């Protein structure tokens, strides 16, 4: 069974540009999460989808970030326009079912560098 | 808001040594995760526990709910154990959000 995949693995963009990150969860996992780790800090929660609905987006830093999960399958996280402080590693995770006790499986991450 | 503290931040050990990484949190939780991240790699879940102790190979994780503390032990450490070990907690029943510690960077020297 394929794990959580993310694309691209690395993206370098200039300040002011737009970047779209993609996450494909494990097939059948209703829950999808986005996390971010900026340099020197701990990983922080961004948002949580249940199927195509945003269950919790309390961690989204500002309105330059837009997450979607059309059809309840893969998800995209768009940053527009990107700022220097957006640099970091963006992780996606998924878990099955609706019980919060289910284990989260993480993707390899996308390293975003904004110059 | 839960505060998650890990210690030590960095740890260097000789191959074969017994290693302990600690995690403490400030607010009651529904589950605690231990995660591993190799350099340049993704995050792998090692354990998810809400009470007691779990063992997988040379890895052992324990949690004391009353003390709000968990430990990750590695027996007979090996250079391939070199990685960042991250503690993350889920606060309260029905909560999906994970709060992470800053991680412990482990280097095992041959």
């Amino acid at each position: 069974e394929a794990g959580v995949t993310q694309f691209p693995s690395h993206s370098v963009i200039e300040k002011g540009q737009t970047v779209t990150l993609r996450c494909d969860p494990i097939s059948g996992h209703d829950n999808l999460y986005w996390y971010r780790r900026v340099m020197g800090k701990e990983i922080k929660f961004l948002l949580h989808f249940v199927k195509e609905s945003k269950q919790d987006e309390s961690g989204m830093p500002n309105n330059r970030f837009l997450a979607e999960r059309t059809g309840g399958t893969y998800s995209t996280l768009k940053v527009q326009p990107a700022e220097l402080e957006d640099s970091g590693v963006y992780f996606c995770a998924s878990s099955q079912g609706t019980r919060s006790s289910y284990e989260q499986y993480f993707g390899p991450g996308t390293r975003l560098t904004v110059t | 808001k839960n505060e998650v503290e890990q210690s030590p931040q960095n740890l260097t050990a000789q191959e074969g040594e017994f290693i302990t990484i600690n995690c403490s949190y400030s607010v009651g939780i529904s589950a605690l995760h231990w995660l591993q991240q190799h350099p340049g790699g993704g995050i792998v879940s090692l354990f998810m526990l809400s009470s007691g102790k779990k063992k997988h190979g040379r890895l052992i994780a324990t949690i004391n709910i009353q003390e709000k503390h968990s430990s990750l032990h590695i027996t007979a450490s090996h250079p391939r154990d070199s990685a960042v070990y991250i503690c993350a907690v889920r606060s309260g029943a029905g909560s999906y959000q994970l709060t992470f510690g800053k991680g412990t960077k482990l280097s095992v020297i041959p």
Side-chain angles (χ1 to χ4, degrees):
Chain A
E1 181 182 328
V4 178
T5 58
Q6 292 187 244
F7 182 83
S9 57
H10 195 177
S11 179
V12 181
I13 62 171
E14 292 184 352
K15 177 182 169 180
Q17 290 186 322
T18 297
V19 63
T20 299
L21 313 180
R22 173 171 169 145
C23 169
D24 286 76
I26 293 172
S27 178
H29 281 195
D30 288 337
N31 295 282
L32 187 149
Y33 315 84
W34 282 99
Y35 298 94
R36 175 174 76 167
R37 183 174 206 159
V38 297
M39 183 75 76
K41 298 283 186 72
E42 67 273 23
I43 299 169
K44 289 199 173 176
F45 168 84
L46 295 178
L47 87 159
H48 167 217
F49 283 98
V50 176
K51 297 184 181 178
E52 67 275 9
S53 299
K54 291 176 186 173
Q55 184 77 12
D56 181 356
E57 52 184 330
S58 61
M60 294 287 263
N62 52 60
N63 59 10
R64 295 186 292 102
F65 289 75
L66 175 65
E68 294 180 324
R69 192 182 181 195
T70 306
T73 54
Y74 71 91
S75 173
T76 58
L77 179 65
K78 180 190 287 188
V79 185
Q80 179 183 29
E83 297 289 343
L84 297 178
E85 65 264 25
D86 300 332
S87 294
V89 182
Y90 291 76
F91 292 100
C92 173
S94 70
S95 67
Q96 66 181 129
T98 56
R99 289 182 57 194
S100 62
S101 60
Y102 286 155
E103 186 170 353
Q104 295 185 24
Y105 296 86
F106 285 81
T110 293
R111 180 174 295 278
L112 174 64
T113 304
V114 183
T115 62
Chain B
K1 180 179 180 244
N2 222 331
E3 302 288 336
V4 180
E5 297 288 338
Q6 283 186 241
S7 63
Q9 287 187 327
N10 293 282
L11 179 57
T12 300
Q14 291 288 337
E15 183 174 356
E17 283 187 9
F18 180 84
I19 288 162
T20 297
I21 299 171
N22 296 298
C23 174
S24 61
Y25 49 92
S26 57
V27 179
I29 62 170
S30 59
L32 182 144
H33 300 249
W34 280 103
L35 310 166
Q36 178 193 57
Q37 185 179 21
H38 282 285
I43 295 173
V44 174
S45 180
L46 298 175
F47 296 102
M48 182 178 70
L49 64 166
S50 55
S51 65
K53 176 180 174 178
K54 286 190 175 180
K55 184 175 189 290
H56 185 255
R58 295 180 294 106
L59 302 178
I60 303 166
T62 64
I63 188 168
N64 184 320
I65 296 296
Q66 288 73 30
E67 297 292 322
K68 296 186 177 63
H69 180 268
S70 175
S71 294
L72 175 69
H73 306 285
I74 305 175
T75 61
S77 59
H78 190 276
R80 64 175 175 268
D81 297 326
S82 299
V84 175
Y85 292 84
I86 303 167
C87 171
V89 302
R90 191 168 59 240
S91 302
S95 170
Y96 291 80
Q97 201 179 119
L98 292 179
T99 302
F100 295 78
K102 289 189 176 181
T104 295
K105 184 176 181 182
L106 171 65
S107 300
V108 181
I109 300 170

